[in-house]
Amino acid sequence: MSTETMTRAEAAPAVLPVGRYGYDQVDRTFLRERIEQFRDQVNRRIAGDLTEEEFKPLRLMNGLYLQLHAYMLRVAVPYGTLGSKQVRALARIAREFDKGYGHFTTRQNIQFNWIKLEDTVAALEVLAEADMHAIQTSGNCIRNITSDEFAGAAKDELLDPRVHAEILRQWSTLHPEFTFLPRKFKFAISGSPHDRVVARFHDIGLIARPGPHGRPVFEVFVGGGLGRTPLVGVSLRDDLPEEDLLAYMEAILRVYNAHGRRDNIYKARIKILVQALGTDEFRRQVEEEFAAMDRARYRIEPALVEAIKARFGAPDFAPEGNAAAVLAEDRRRDVRFDAWVRTNTHEHKAPGYISLVVSLKPAGGIPGDATAEQLDLLADLADEFSFGELRVTHLQNVVLGHVRQDQLHTVWQRLSQAGLGTANVNFITDIVACPGLDYCALANARSIPIAQKLSSRFADLELQREIGDLRINISGCINACGHHHAAHLGILGVDKRGQEAFQITLGGSGEEDASIGQILGPAMAEDETVDAVARLIDLYLVRRENGERFLDTYRRVGTAAFKDVVYAPA
Amino acid sequence: MPLLENGHPVEDTWRYAVEGEALGAGDVIVPFDRLSEGLGRAEGRLGVILPNSESVSVLKEALPKLAVIVVTFPIFRDGRAFSQARALREHLHFTGEVRASGHILPDQYEFLIRCGVNTVEVSGNTDMAAWERALHHFTIATQPSPVLDEKPTGFGLRRFLATP
């Protein structure tokens, strides 16, 4: 059946999942085939037909890493959107195949740290039953496409990016030409002028907006990234029409596939190629490839976009009624709830609705960790209050996108009872941290204990409110999975003569004012670092002017004063 | 070295030029640096090995006289040849045999075909059944191939793969 002959009703089943693409039998068949392929690969490895060197990239492309103590399974969460049934499947994997936890990552995925190789196929089957997989969550291929956690809900949004994220997901899944690239390749896409996806720190970042004739156009950033060589991406073009989205992406990937360095893993990302060629020459090569393509073969017709959009369920918003008035009254009566609403919610485009952020950063907790019981509760709350849909944020929290304002107080109470009601989003204890040396084979230092110490040190919510917006990110090694370069206050774990030590960076931002944090000075021991952060905060509180964030004060005052207070305490 | 086409071994009627020896008559595949020598021959069909560091455009002039182009995988993780194969078909409209050689896994077979490769040289001790299975693991792809005309499945980007 072609797109033309298939009616909308045939394409769309009666009940579609809200906020994400609804699988049909074709998609499910594809997943079954992928699992059978992996089963075959495992058997060939066991039989000795595949060497470990050959098997490794194949298992990686199914999300299976070998870490310090065990295998880790990273599950794909396309554009960060999950259904309640999927969250329950994740809870089941946490219970049956792990130690009762899942860990949400900065790539909007979830990973399990204690998976046995022999259980992997069974875990993939549990995922497949819930229309999920672990395809391309690792390996030198196009990774999970990340997006805005408030997509389709945010009041400031110009265009819901998830349909195009899904188009990119389908296009990149087992792409015949781009599955053995020089290095991993990361996309982010947003439809809001406020960059909540860190677009400028991705291999390709896309910012969508409505263009002429009502079809979207995209600004294309390329060559951004963190790690050893942190770079802000360059804008390749500002006006890419929707119909050419895939053609232009192919052109970029082809230039990268042909010319990206393969002799040195540390210089293999597209950011190095863009720097080596210069933006103008890189753009010229992309345009040359783009001009040579038979673009009709790649064109995304409006009918195709509409057909995919038709596979997305849309929330059926209730009329506003007196929801806003009820919320105002609830806030007036309960100061703790009021404080939480101020920090943990986001304005919704539909009257009477609001988006809420569930903080996975309780005082002294491990950033991004959720227990199987908490996952089940989140699924229940999504079903009861948010059209069965949840989102994962790149800051390792969870979002319920569409909650009626008059039900918010109930949801908060239920969250609080489960230890999920912390009112600290965007505050100093809303820390992002990679798994670090507790789990990761690459790390030089443990990220989790220092995150827990900082989180405990600043646990007082009144103090946190006083400090205001302050982004702390922690990475356990130079690969920067904790995105420390993009933090207002970044912490990088290093190995100092066999001891774990920590460097502080200041002044980074992952938003539209993207900047790379500067290293303040020599690394320090864990407790010294925590004390140094406290002194930095004290200095900020003294020096700030009329409502400045920490970042603003740092940018105005400059590095010297902050350096002095860290290395020459009074 | 066995040659596979559509998952089955086929007879390889081509021979590779031997370093330091004259090309002689008959169908011969030459290394890229002996291309002009090959083109100067009066008889026999010609094939060439394209190093994976070269752009396919270096074959543009010679193309009408080439019957086989060999794209190479020094190691299976080096995916440059996928782009080369696709470009030979898509940009140069090459209709002859595109052959893949080197370190290739059965798991890459479908990708090769969808990029326009039609024959694969496999090592003599490989498990042929794995190649046969690789060709049938997937009945669906989730993106259009730039070089094959596959049937859309109904909506979106998904395609039914041709069964060889």
Side-chain angles (χ1 to χ4, degrees), chain A residues 2 109 120 140 170 278 286 333 378 435 498 513 543 550:
Chain A
S2 72
N109 290 319
T120 311
N140 293 337
Q170 293 192 15
V286 171
R333 277 199 310 228
L378 290 170
D513 60 346
R543 298 290 299 269
F550 178 85

Side-chain angles (χ1 to χ4, degrees), chain B residues 35-43 46:
Chain B
L35 180 58
S36 51
E37 188 188 342
L39 289 168
R41 271 188 337 155
E43 283 175 41
L46 184 66

Side-chain angles (χ1 to χ4, degrees), chain A residues 82-95 100-104 110-112 360 368-382 390 392 398 400 418 420:
Chain A
L82 285 163
S84 54
K85 185 184 163 195
Q86 296 180 319
V87 176
R88 289 192 187 94
L90 296 172
R92 188 178 149 198
I93 289 173
R95 243 179 234 117
Y101 286 86
H103 175 76
F104 288 106
I110 185 168
Q111 56 200 34
F112 298 97
L360 295 179
D369 269 14
T371 65
E373 291 67 35
Q374 287 174 332
L375 290 171
D376 279 337
L377 172 73
L378 290 170
D380 291 346
L381 292 176
L390 300 97
V392 183
V398 170
L400 291 175
L420 293 171

Side-chain angles (χ1 to χ4, degrees), chain A residues 378-534:
Chain A
L378 290 170
D380 291 346
L381 292 176
D383 277 338
E384 285 177 63
F385 301 103
S386 195
F387 302 93
E389 178 223 72
L390 300 97
R391 296 98 180 280
V392 183
T393 84
H394 71 279
L395 303 172
Q396 298 175 294
N397 291 316
V398 170
V399 163
L400 291 175
H402 323 281
V403 176
R404 266 183 70 95
Q405 292 183 1
D406 50 354
Q407 296 180 322
L408 194 60
H409 192 246
T410 310
V411 179
W412 172 73
Q413 286 174 316
R414 298 264 296 272
L415 287 169
S416 296
Q417 284 158 15
L420 293 171
T422 314
N424 65 341
V425 169
N426 292 329
F427 283 170
I428 188 168
T429 63
D430 186 8
I431 297 170
V432 167
C434 71
L437 197 50
D438 288 299
Y439 297 100
C440 177
L442 301 174
N444 296 119
R446 290 170 300 158
S447 318
I448 292 171
I450 191 169
Q452 290 175 303
K453 281 184 182 176
L454 283 166
S455 165
S456 302
R457 176 83 161 241
F458 293 97
D460 179 42
L461 274 175
E462 217 161 306
L463 172 64
Q464 292 191 51
R465 277 195 288 276
E466 175 62 24
I467 298 167
D469 280 6
L470 202 167
R471 166 122 309 286
I472 291 186
N473 289 38
I474 305 171
S475 301
C477 78
I478 193 68
N479 293 304
C481 294
H483 299 177
H484 65 280
H485 295 295
H488 303 166
L489 196 164
I491 295 174
L492 167 65
V494 296
D495 180 294
K496 204 176 176 181
R497 294 182 293 276
Q499 299 290 317
E500 289 171 79
F502 297 88
Q503 275 180 348
I504 293 175
T505 62
L506 292 180
S509 165
E511 301 185 355
E512 54 273 22
D513 60 346
S515 60
I516 293 159
Q518 297 301 308
I519 298 170
L520 208 54
M524 294 167 282
E526 186 178 279
D527 286 333
E528 279 178 58
T529 310
V530 175
D531 289 340
V533 170

